[in-house]
């Protein structure tokens, strides 16, 4: 940039400097004519040796005839050194355009970093170094000892890296010296040019993109770039892209799709950058747009996870046809530390979380998420980065050879099937998830209202119809219900966080029972504990399964208690009834049985039954029992069943008559007329005609005889219950009333 500064001579009112310069402070107006004709016209100016231009201004001066002089100094700025150099080689045949990339070789070799589980190897290394130093100092031959130690070191290295735990593989994936995406790209490409910008004014250094060639074929490379030291990590934002980075990757994907370039992506990020500014700029929208677009790209896509792939930040460039993972890389939806903090309330449980999350390459390959595992040297990819890069190149070229043979439709279908085949489901096999404290309990043990009602009705029926107070089937059902309630109570204690208090109270109660004493403080503790439990249980929507089962158990207990009271009262009444009345009642039951078979009704027996009933009432009153109703007899229930059966026979006969007589047309006509006007003469006429035809066709003596017998039985039973209240299938005993 060229800058022009105007300075005045040492004259007029102003501020002077030691070097002779003077800052003019008067209101001096330089008009258009001056700038156009004087300042930028070289002829009036006199060029001096120091690079300054000067000219005396006419019309300005003091009384002594001295004039103002304006000096313009031209300062030369720096030439732009990025991205373009002074001399550009347009005929470059190989290598990469370094001036288009911030990625430069490190001035110093990175310091070795030892992971915690590698300490046994460090001890062996120290021994080898010590023996070598002794050999150099003494001049003695320690070749055998050094060879034995090196063999031992190699064996220990092999044993250690062939039995790594998930958390150890995660530590290797996060190793600060692990090769980055640009390291691998520069190792596997013959020519490489980095491309920048998202066409919206931003360039995210955490996301690198560019075009490179392998075996003479061009590819679009996209990757998340970590730093190799603290300065680079800050510049690359620790490989956590912002929305600008994902939009930059999306632009390059569309560019590759337009020009038919296969796409290779490298995943190495702990996740998308989750700050407030990124959320305001649409982090989620940028990731979602990448996901949608990648499934529609018409070029082959291969993804390689070279480090750690975290959540949607990794998935935004990892929707490929083929997904490969380095041997010690990881892929997860949430980091083990975050998962442990959520589920176990402590990041110290990260090793357990890493094992449960199945984050390693081996687990992903087993579940068909990854299509292959790329081997690493013993010690991790940082032990031999060039060899690791060549293994990546081999996997990419083999996959691209397979994918490029597919046409567009096959390629899209292949990508769709890859993601549709991930996961699975099982039918018919119950799954009981492990329940943890403060986690929502499973709904497997929660019964719905219909199940509870049906179970309760069955239990109620079994209890009331049991001839003896103890029935094996009913007892078994009640015992199972009690066990279910105990299980639900235990789960409730755990979810409420009261398990430890319960155990301590049990211990104190056992000690108190041994001493045959229960002090007041312990009783207060028990009452307080139960109050807290009931308060937690009474919260709306909490522990619904336990509440439902407790209500069911309470109802069953009341029914059993009522049944026992009824049996006891029945036994007391039977003892007070004379034998003559019992004989008359037995005769009445026999007569009712004969009546149900169709035998004629004996009028004398009816009179005897009425007389026996009055005597029975007098006996009960003498036993200080008040009669509030008479229980419905079994014969009455049988009579009701007979009425229902006869009604079904009549309805069936009517349907048959309608079919035979062809009355369906008239019935439909009647329905249509009733919709229009139910009180019209036509409706009444149609009803009369239909009834007459049905009555004529139903001239059946058998049906009439059955109806007549039912009328007589109903009349007899109604005489027996005159002025008495009928109670539904049970005896009520309360305060001496029966």
């Amino acid at each position: 940039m060229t800058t022009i500064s105007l300075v005045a001579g040492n004259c007029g009112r102003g501020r002077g400097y030691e070097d002779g310069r003077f800052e003019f402070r008067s209101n001096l107006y330089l008009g258009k004519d001056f700038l156009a004709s004087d300042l930028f016209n070289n002829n009036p100016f006199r060029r001096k040796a120091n690079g300054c231009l000067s000219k005396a201004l006419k019309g300005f001066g003091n009384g002594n005839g001295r004039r103002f002089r304006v000096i313009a100094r031209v300062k030369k700025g720096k030439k732009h050194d990025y991205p373009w150099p002074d001399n550009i080689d347009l005929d470059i045949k190989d290598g990469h355009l370094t001036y288009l990339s911030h990625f430069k070789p490190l001035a110093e070799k990175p310091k070795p970093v030892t992971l915690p589980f590698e300490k046994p190897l460090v001890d062996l290394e120290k021994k080898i170094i010590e023996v070598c130093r002794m050999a150099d100092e003494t001049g003695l031959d320690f070749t055998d000892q050094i060879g034995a130690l090196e063999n031992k070191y190699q064996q220990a290295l092999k044993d250690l890296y062939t039995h790594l735990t998930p958390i150890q593989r995660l530590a290797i994936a996060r190793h600060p010296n692990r090769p980055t995406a640009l390291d691998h790209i520069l190792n596997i490409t013959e020519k490489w040019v980095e491309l920048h910008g998202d066409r919206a004014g931003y360039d995210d250094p955490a996301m690198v993109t560019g075009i490179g060639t392998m075996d003479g074929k061009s590819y679009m490379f996209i990757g998340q770039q970590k730093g190799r030291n603290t300065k680079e990590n800050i510049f690359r934002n620790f490989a956590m892209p912002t929305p600008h980075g994902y939009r930059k990757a999306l632009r390059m994907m569309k560019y590759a799709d337009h020009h038919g370039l296969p796409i290779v992506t490298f995943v190495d990020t702990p996740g998308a950058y989750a700050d407030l500014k990124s959320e305001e700029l649409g982090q989620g929208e940028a990731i979602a747009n990448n996901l949608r677009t990648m499934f529609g790209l018409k070029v082959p896509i291969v993804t390689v996870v070279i480090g750690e792939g975290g959540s949607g930040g990794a998935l935004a460039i990892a929707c490929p046809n083929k997904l490969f993972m380095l041997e010690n890389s990881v892929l997860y939806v949430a980091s083990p530390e975050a998962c442990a903090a959520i589920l176990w309330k402590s990041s110290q449980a990260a090793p357990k979380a890493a094992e449960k999350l199945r984050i390693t390459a081996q687990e992903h390959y087993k579940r068909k998420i990854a299509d292959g595992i790329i081997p690493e040297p013993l010690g991790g990819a940082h032990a031999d980065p060039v060899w690791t890069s060549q293994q990546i190149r081999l996997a990419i070229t083999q996959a691209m050879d397979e994918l490029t043979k597919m046409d567009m439709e096959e390629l899209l279908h292949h990508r769709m099937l890859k993601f549709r085949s991930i996961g699975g489901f099982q039918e018919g096999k119950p799954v009981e998830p492990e329940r943890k404290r403060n986690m929502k309990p499973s709904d497997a043990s929660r019964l719905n209202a219909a199940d509870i009602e049906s179970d309760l009705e069955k239990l109620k029926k079994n209890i009331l119809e049991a001839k003896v107070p103890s029935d094996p089937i009913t007892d078994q059902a009640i015992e199972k219900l009690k066990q279910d309630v105990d299980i639900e109570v235990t789960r409730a204690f755990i979810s409420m966080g009261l398990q430890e208090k319960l155990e301590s109270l049990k211990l104190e109660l056992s000690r108190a029972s041994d001493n045959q004493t229960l002090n007041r403080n312990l009783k207060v503790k028990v009452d307080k504990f139960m109050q807290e439990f009931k308060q937690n249980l009474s919260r709306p929507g909490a522990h619904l399964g336990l509440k439902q089962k407790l209500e069911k158990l309470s109802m069953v207990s009341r029914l059993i208690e009522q049944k026992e009271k009824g049996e006891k009262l029945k036994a007391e009444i039977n003892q007070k009834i004379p034998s003559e009345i019992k004989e008359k009642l037995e005769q009445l039951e026999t007569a009712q049985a004969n009546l149900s078979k169709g035998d004629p009704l004996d009028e004398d027996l009816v009179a005897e039954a009425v007389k026996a009933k009055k005597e029975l009432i007098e006996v009960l009153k003498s036993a200080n029992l008040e009669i509030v109703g008479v229980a419905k007899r079994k014969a009455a229930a049988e009579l009701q069943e007979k009425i229902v059966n006869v009604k079904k026979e009549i309805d069936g006969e009517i349907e048959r008559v309608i079919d035979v007589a062809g009355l369906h047309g008239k019935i439909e006509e009647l329905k249509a007329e009733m919709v229009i006007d139910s009180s019209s003469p036509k409706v009444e006429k149609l009803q009369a005609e239909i009834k007459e035809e049905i009555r004529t066709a139903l001239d059946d003596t058998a049906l009439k005889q059955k109806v007549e017998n039912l009328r007589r039985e109903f009349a007899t039973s109604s005489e027996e219950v005159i002025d008495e209240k009928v109670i539904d299938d049970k005896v009520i005993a309360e305060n001496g009333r029966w």
Side-chain angles (χ1 to χ4, degrees), residues 108-258:
E108 297 180 359
K109 189 178 180 180
K111 296 180 180 179
V113 177
T114 302
L115 299 175
F117 64 90
E118 293 179 329
K119 289 182 179 179
L121 300 176
V122 176
D123 296 336
L124 286 174
E125 283 183 354
K126 289 181 179 179
K127 289 182 181 179
I128 294 173
I129 294 172
E130 183 68 20
V131 173
C132 291
R133 187 182 61 80
M134 290 175 59
D136 292 338
E137 291 177 354
T138 60
L140 299 176
D141 186 10
F142 289 98
T143 307
D144 295 338
Q145 290 83 351
I146 294 174
L149 287 173
E150 288 180 348
N151 291 334
K152 187 176 180 181
Y153 176 84
Q154 291 297 327
Q155 186 62 37
L157 182 67
K158 184 177 179 181
D159 293 341
L160 181 62
Y161 275 85
T162 52
H163 300 89
L164 291 171
T165 62
I167 196 66
Q168 290 173 345
R169 292 192 185 275
L170 178 63
I172 297 173
R174 293 172 173 173
H175 199 285
N177 296 339
R178 191 172 179 85
T180 63
L182 284 174
D183 286 321
H184 291 302
I185 290 173
L186 295 175
N187 287 336
I188 67 178
T189 57
E190 296 96 14
K191 289 192 291 184
W192 159 254
V193 55
E194 185 175 348
L195 303 177
H196 299 268
D198 63 347
R199 293 288 176 89
Y202 298 95
D203 180 38
D204 188 358
M207 186 76 72
V208 295
T209 59
I211 300 176
T213 60
M214 292 189 302
D215 299 329
K217 298 179 182 179
S218 297
Y219 299 89
M220 175 64 72
F221 290 92
I222 300 171
Q224 288 141 344
Q225 177 67 19
K226 280 187 176 180
R228 296 166 294 178
N229 50 40
T230 304
K231 183 178 179 180
E232 284 192 7
N233 270 322
I234 294 173
F235 174 70
R236 301 285 181 180
N237 200 29
F238 295 86
M240 293 185 289
T242 62
H244 310 304
Y246 292 113
R247 293 180 179 124
K248 171 183 174 182
L250 180 63
R251 181 175 80 88
M252 299 305 171
M253 290 179 194
K254 291 181 178 179
Y255 178 87
D257 187 49
H258 177 73

Side-chain angles (χ1 to χ4, degrees), residues 31-79:
K32 177 181 176 182
D33 295 337
F34 170 77
L35 291 174
S37 60
D38 293 340
L39 186 59
F40 295 112
N41 189 356
N42 291 330
N43 294 329
F45 284 91
R46 293 175 296 176
R47 186 177 299 274
K48 294 186 178 180
N50 60 359
C52 296
L53 301 177
S54 64
K55 182 182 179 182
L57 299 180
K58 297 179 181 180
F60 294 94
N62 55 12
N64 298 329
R66 299 180 62 184
R67 297 182 177 179
F68 289 105
R69 187 174 298 275
V70 177
I71 300 174
R73 186 185 300 272
V74 179
K75 296 182 179 179
K76 294 183 179 180
K78 286 186 177 181
K79 289 186 177 180

Side-chain angles (χ1 to χ4, degrees), residues 452-505:
I452 288 185
E453 289 295 332
S454 61
D455 293 345
L456 191 57
E457 288 297 327
K458 290 178 182 178
L459 274 175
K460 180 179 176 181
K461 184 177 179 182
N462 292 336
I463 292 170
L464 294 177
E465 292 183 356
K467 296 182 178 179
V468 292
S470 179
D471 179 50
I473 298 177
T474 305
D475 293 343
Q476 185 178 1
I478 295 172
E479 187 63 28
K480 184 178 181 304
L481 179 60
K482 289 180 179 179
Q483 293 176 0
D484 292 343
V485 170
D486 290 339
I487 294 173
E488 290 291 334
V489 169
T490 304
R491 291 172 179 167
F493 280 133
I494 295 173
S495 63
M496 294 176 188
L498 301 176
Q499 186 68 16
E500 296 180 358
K501 289 185 180 180
L502 179 63
E503 295 297 332
S504 62
L505 279 177

Side-chain angles (χ1 to χ4, degrees), residues 7 184 576 717:
V7 296
H184 291 302
K576 296 179 180 180
S717 61

Side-chain angles (χ1 to χ4, degrees), residues 7 91 196 250 279 287 304 384 404 411 418 572 602 663:
V7 296
D91 298 326
H196 299 268
L250 180 63
E279 295 299 329
I287 293 174
V304 182
D384 194 347
T404 50
L411 198 66
K418 170 180 172 52
E572 293 177 358
D602 189 358
L663 297 176

